[in-house]
């Protein structure tokens, strides 16, 4: 395990505030992936953030920016449309600063993530999962709620807008990227991750490219997302589907636009999910679906670069938020994903 990065001057830390313990996560060597490729494949342990995911960084960056710009008054309401993790981060940071939180969320997300969000005290409104072009999409519903609240009472609500508010990307550029650079001593040769909002990939990519122009930045895209095809062929087109939550997109967000991406792959669940099962039993890491896509992408990037390189990816959240998907033998068999013997024994057919 690599040493923790020291706090950066670019990130304002409030004494005795929850924000002080967001970020500065360690890098963990992924032994099997490293040994299989001859590279050092390192995962940034974002599941160690207080809200349990990388989206704590997004929440903090967005709220810090809103406060600096005077977009929300003390005691106001934070409003966001989210698949879950950003909402958890916003609610926790909001609680620590005296705000209320209202989250609009697709009803298709895991029950565990919905419960975790409600446990923070946030008001959660579940809506049908529809395409972004539909006015009923969760992000549009959240924006409309914030606008209605502000029309009745100015600056009483703030719509975080994680997809198109580029404070998301900027925060990763000034915090996450420099952390990775410092933790690897500048020896990082490649960075790869999946994307939903585009903030992590674009922000980290920009930070690393500014310090080392030859570093390779790659997108690992789940099946059902259109972004890999967009990077490779300039067309938003998708195929298939994935059981992973919170990643992939059918559109180019403001955060994703202009991201310095060199390579992009579509990663099927049959490739990513078995990596998660093996990591749990062989390396003690229980990770969510997006981390599996990231690790699969890191292995592909390592093979693209060849042995002797250092690749960093993100370990975004815990697998304990997705037991009914990632560790459900019946669902895995239905999706054509291999079921390891230990999982079959743990949950035999009823």
């Amino acid at each position: 395990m690599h040493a923790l990065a020291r706090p950066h001057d670019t990130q304002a830390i409030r004494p005795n505030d929850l924000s002080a313990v967001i970020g500065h996560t360690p890098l963990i060597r992924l032994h099997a992936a490293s040994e299989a490729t001859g590279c050092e494949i390192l995962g940034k342990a974002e599941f160690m953030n207080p809200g349990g995911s990388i989206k704590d960084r997004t929440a903090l960056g967005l709220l810090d920016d809103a406060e600096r710009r005077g977009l929300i008054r003390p005691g106001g309401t934070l409003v966001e449309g989210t698949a879950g993790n950003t909402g958890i981060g916003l609610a926790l940071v909001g609680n620590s600063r005296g705000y209320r939180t209202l989250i609009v969320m697709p009803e298709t997300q895991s029950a565990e993530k919905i419960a975790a969000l409600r446990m923070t005290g946030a008001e959660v409104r579940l809506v049908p999962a529809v395409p972004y072009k539909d006015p009923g999409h969760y992000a549009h519903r959240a924006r409309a709620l914030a606008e209605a609240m502000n029309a009745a009472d100015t600056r009483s609500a703030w719509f975080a807008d994680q997809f198109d508010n580029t404070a998301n990307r900027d925060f990763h550029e000034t915090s996450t990227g420099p952390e990775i650079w410092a933790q690897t001593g500048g020896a990082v040769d490649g960075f790869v991750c999946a994307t939903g909002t585009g903030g992590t990939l674009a922000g980290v990519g920009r930070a690393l490219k500014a310090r080392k122009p030859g570093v390779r930045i790659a997108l690992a895209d789940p099946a059902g997302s259109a972004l890999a095809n967009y990077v490779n062929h300039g067309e938003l087109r998708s195929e298939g589907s994935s059981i992973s939550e919170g990643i992939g997109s059918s559109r180019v967000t403001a955060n994703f636009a202009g991201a310095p991406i060199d390579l992009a792959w579509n990663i099927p669940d049959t490739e990513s999910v078995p990596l998660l099962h093996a990591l749990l039993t062989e390396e003690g890491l229980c990770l969510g679906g997006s981390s599996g896509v990231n690790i699969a992408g890191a292995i592909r990037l390592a093979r693209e670069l060849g042995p002797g390189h250092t690749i960093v990816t993100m370990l975004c959240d815990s697998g304990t938020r997705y037991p009914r998907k990632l560790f459900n033998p019946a669902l895995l068999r239905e999706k054509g994903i291999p079921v390891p013997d230990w999982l079959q024994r743990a949950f035999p057919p009823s």
Side-chain angles (χ1 to χ4, degrees):
M1 184 180 293
H2 289 234
L4 289 170
R6 298 180 64 184
H8 304 295
D9 292 338
T10 52
Q11 181 179 358
I13 300 294
R14 299 183 179 199
N16 303 316
D17 187 86
L18 182 74
S19 61
V21 291
I22 292 175
H24 316 295
T25 53
L27 290 176
I28 299 174
R29 185 177 190 264
L30 304 179
H31 296 289
S34 297
E35 289 160 13
T37 60
C39 289
E40 285 293 293
I41 296 184
L42 310 174
K44 197 150 171 55
E46 294 301 296
F47 57 86
M48 293 179 67
N49 282 306
S53 86
I54 190 172
K55 293 298 187 176
D56 286 9
R57 293 183 188 261
T58 302
L60 177 59
L62 293 173
L63 184 53
D64 276 353
D65 179 73
E67 289 181 334
R68 282 193 298 268
R69 296 167 59 196
L71 301 179
I72 179 74
R73 72 186 189 208
T77 301
L78 314 181
V79 183
E80 182 60 311
T82 169
N85 281 337
T86 302
I88 293 168
L90 276 173
L92 294 178
V93 177
N95 288 349
S96 76
R97 297 185 182 182
Y99 298 108
R100 296 180 295 276
T101 307
L102 169 59
I103 298 299
V104 183
M105 187 177 181
E107 61 190 4
T108 53
Q109 301 308 291
S110 74
E112 291 75 17
K113 203 154 52 173
I114 294 170
L117 186 49
R118 285 180 166 147
M119 285 169 59
T120 68
E123 179 182 349
V124 181
R125 300 191 185 183
L126 300 177
V127 299
V130 296
Y132 184 78
K133 63 184 179 182
D134 190 308
H137 186 272
Y138 63 92
H140 303 319
R141 296 279 289 271
R143 182 189 296 274
L145 284 168
E147 289 175 348
M149 294 168 72
N150 284 327
D153 189 2
T154 303
R155 292 195 307 125
S156 64
W158 165 70
F159 175 51
D161 195 15
Q162 62 174 323
F163 292 93
D164 293 307
N165 182 347
T166 55
N168 175 355
R169 178 187 67 200
D170 295 344
F171 190 74
H172 284 290
E173 185 173 1
T174 59
S175 65
T176 318
E179 283 179 36
I180 290 170
W181 180 260
Q183 288 172 306
T184 60
V188 57
D189 299 300
F191 175 78
V192 57
C193 73
T195 188
T197 67
T200 303
L201 185 61
V204 172
R206 285 159 60 126
L208 296 181
K209 288 278 191 183
R211 291 162 173 80
K212 188 177 184 178
V215 70
R216 304 285 275 174
I217 306 299
L219 166 66
D221 211 26
S225 175
L227 295 178
N229 195 75
Y230 175 78
V231 171
N232 291 327
H233 305 292
E235 179 186 4
L236 285 167
R237 183 172 58 82
S238 63
E239 294 181 1
S241 63
S242 173
I243 63 173
S244 297
E245 294 184 13
I247 53 173
S249 182
S250 60
R251 69 184 184 98
V252 175
T253 66
N255 281 295
F256 186 81
I261 301 170
D262 300 300
L263 299 159
W265 302 285
N266 275 119
I267 308 290
D269 286 351
T270 51
E271 181 178 344
S272 63
V273 176
L275 292 172
L276 297 176
H277 294 154
L279 273 169
L280 179 54
T281 57
E282 297 170 11
E283 303 185 41
L285 290 169
C286 182
L287 302 171
S290 58
S291 298
V293 174
N294 288 352
I295 295 165
I299 292 170
R300 289 196 186 198
L301 182 56
R303 288 175 174 153
E304 178 81 20
L305 297 181
H309 293 89
T310 297
I311 312 296
V312 176
T313 193
M314 311 305 280
L315 309 181
C316 302
D317 65 0
S318 171
T320 58
R321 285 190 172 161
Y322 314 96
R324 301 183 198 189
K325 290 186 176 180
L326 298 177
F327 304 102
N328 180 341
L331 177 64
L332 296 175
R333 284 192 295 269
E334 177 187 325
K335 300 293 184 181
I337 301 169
V339 180
D341 290 342
W342 66 267
L343 187 57
Q344 184 63 58
R345 291 193 298 271
F347 300 99
S350 56

